[in-house]
Amino acid sequence: MSKKKSTFNRKTFFKGLAFGTLSLPFAIRALRPARAQSKQSTVDLGKTYKWKMATTWPPNFPVLGEGCVLMADWIREMSGGRLDIHVYGGGELVPALEVFDTVRSGAAQMGHGAAYYWAGKIPSAQFFSSVPFGLNAQQMNAWLLNAGGLELWEELYHDFGLVPIPAGNTGVQMGGWYNREINTIDDFKGLKMRMPGVGGKVLERAGGSPVLLAGGEIYTGLERGIIDAAEWIGPYHDYNMGFHQIAKYYYTPGWHELGTQLELILNKEAYDELPDDLRAIVYTATLRLNHWILSEFEAKNSEYLQKIMNEPDVTISQFSPEILNNLRQYAEAAIQELAESDSFAKRTYDSFQSFRTQISEWSKVSEKVYYGEIES
Ligand code: CA
């Protein structure tokens, strides 16, 4: 009997649908916020909570900072003002890269950033933001929300007294701005490029030199020849930084950041103290932010790509398949190294890698075929 039950049975499935009964318990389970396993609490509607949200973005930074302010508005609206969140830009409450420790200590109840910012203390956190040749935005959502990724992420942050929730994705980024052409993999030799994280390690393997520069230093670095190339985000942010005025070649694709996942981190103690309905509101608003940030990036990047295409001195170029294949091999080696950093990284890598293999088969017979057809 158990064998029969575990096998997909089309007849039973459709019969169930016809009577509207099938998988109702499943549907209820799927709709319930993951961590709001009901602790029965009496809701005191007169009690208000005033929270602080520390972010890694400059105040009102396009898309990312703006999104955090929007989320605070949604939460205020949905809770009838019972949960009131003040959003702080990086440097306003604490420096941007201290957000993790600030939320951990409870000095802010929540924070917004990207997990790879904490790579120095938790190398495996990078799997939950972006690794080169990793997952795109929709694949990342699928891994995190529907294929076990978020459970691993929760386990990782549990030891720090934090709860992560997926909270946005940049979508595919661009390959960066170059002041010379990249025709073969050898053209990376000696190239000084602003390229953080595992992407920088890939560049090193290709013979280049990653240079660590904060966002505000990239323009001057490129202009003065301190660096030969720089990656930032995509057309919207890159255009507003003015890179088209000082670099000739804008390369695609952003192999190093195919879809960088952003995170909301919550102080677990503070989150647990909230009544069930407010916890559900926080969870739901965060997933709305997860969706909004990606949609805003896609809309704005497509609009600003046109502006860049209209710039007479900029050439939009594509890395050759040979270059991408070489970089991919270097990336596999760099990610292997990351996977070996500790036993948790290995477990995360195994889950990530097996999902990547599985979903790339699906992409090959679906979207890849479609895009291939319409381009030919
Ligand atoms: Ca980037």
Side-chain angles (χ1 to χ4, degrees), residues 116 173 194 196 231-233 256-257 260:
Y116 58 13
Q173 299 197 7
R194 189 262 178 187
E231 78 79 45
W232 179 229
I233 307 178
H256 59 295
E257 290 184 272
T260 298

Side-chain angles (χ1 to χ4, degrees), residues 188-208:
F188 282 102
K189 289 200 172 121
L191 188 87
K192 292 184 300 249
M193 180 170 187
R194 189 262 178 187
M195 169 72 81
V198 188
K201 294 211 177 341
V202 174
L203 181 68
E204 246 169 22
R205 284 172 189 262

Side-chain angles (χ1 to χ4, degrees), residues 27-304:
I28 289 169
R29 224 174 28 246
L31 288 171
R32 189 164 53 212
R35 294 304 123 196
Q37 304 278 332
S38 20
K39 155 186 93 173
Q40 290 300 325
S41 59
T42 314
V43 174
D44 176 0
L45 293 174
K47 182 166 182 182
T48 58
Y49 296 81
K50 287 207 178 296
W51 274 23
K52 290 175 183 163
M53 177 175 183
T55 73
T56 53
W57 323 114
N60 285 308
F61 190 62
V63 191
L64 301 166
E66 288 170 344
C68 292
V69 172
L70 274 177
M71 189 180 86
D73 289 344
W74 298 331
I75 289 177
R76 205 172 293 115
E77 193 182 355
M78 282 194 279
S79 68
R82 287 164 53 219
L83 181 52
D84 189 49
I85 298 166
H86 188 93
V87 179
Y88 293 88
E92 287 186 332
L93 182 67
V94 289
L97 295 180
E98 287 176 21
V99 166
F100 189 90
D101 288 332
T102 302
V103 179
R104 200 179 159 190
S105 74
Q109 290 79 8
M110 54 164 66
H112 192 263
Y116 58 13
Y117 290 150
W118 329 126
K121 66 179 91 197
I122 326 169
S124 52
Q126 291 171 97
F127 285 110
F128 303 107
S129 53
S130 175
V131 292
F133 295 92
L135 301 171
N136 70 20
Q138 70 183 8
Q139 293 169 342
M140 194 69 177
N141 275 327
W143 178 56
L144 290 175
L145 295 168
N146 299 68
L150 183 55
E151 279 80 1
L152 282 164
W153 197 2
E154 286 170 342
E155 188 183 333
L156 180 66
Y157 280 16
H158 184 268
D159 291 346
F160 298 91
L162 296 171
V163 177
I165 305 177
N169 195 302
T170 65
V172 64
Q173 299 197 7
M174 282 292 281
W177 295 86
Y178 292 73
N179 59 19
R180 61 179 196 236
E181 281 188 272
I182 302 293
N183 295 315
T184 74
I185 192 74
D186 288 339
D187 291 329
F188 282 102
K189 289 200 172 121
L191 188 87
K192 292 184 300 249
M193 180 170 187
R194 189 262 178 187
M195 169 72 81
V198 188
K201 294 211 177 341
V202 174
L203 181 68
E204 246 169 22
R205 284 172 189 262
S209 311
V211 179
L212 206 60
L213 286 182
E217 298 167 330
I218 305 174
Y219 185 95
T220 318
L222 258 180
E223 192 185 26
R224 296 189 183 162
I226 297 163
I227 48 173
D228 310 306
E231 78 79 45
W232 179 229
I233 307 178
Y236 180 37
H237 290 80
D238 290 10
Y239 185 86
N240 285 317
M241 290 281 260
F243 296 143
H244 56 282
Q245 298 158 356
I246 47 165
K248 280 188 188 161
Y249 303 99
Y250 195 24
Y251 270 89
T252 184
W255 52 269
H256 59 295
E257 290 184 272
L258 220 61
T260 298
Q261 181 65 49
L262 305 159
E263 66 178 13
L264 186 86
I265 47 176
L266 290 144
N267 178 286
K268 191 172 183 310
E269 217 172 286
Y271 192 38
D272 285 347
E273 275 172 22
L274 288 181
D276 287 354
D277 65 329
L278 291 186
R279 274 212 310 278
I281 285 171
V282 168
Y283 188 85
T284 307
T286 308
L287 288 191
R288 181 173 171 188
L289 180 66
N290 193 45
H291 183 64
W292 185 86
I293 286 181
L294 175 62
S295 307
E296 181 73 353
F297 262 112
E298 289 290 286
K300 285 288 198 297
N301 278 337
S302 59
E303 183 186 335
Y304 278 73

Side-chain angles (χ1 to χ4, degrees), residues 354-374:
S354 85
F355 187 75
R356 183 167 61 153
T357 306
Q358 174 187 304
I359 206 156
S360 76
E361 288 301 317
W362 167 229
S363 303
K364 273 183 211 160
V365 302
S366 56
E367 293 187 352
K368 201 171 171 188
V369 173
Y370 175 75
Y371 289 128
E373 284 303 313
I374 59 165

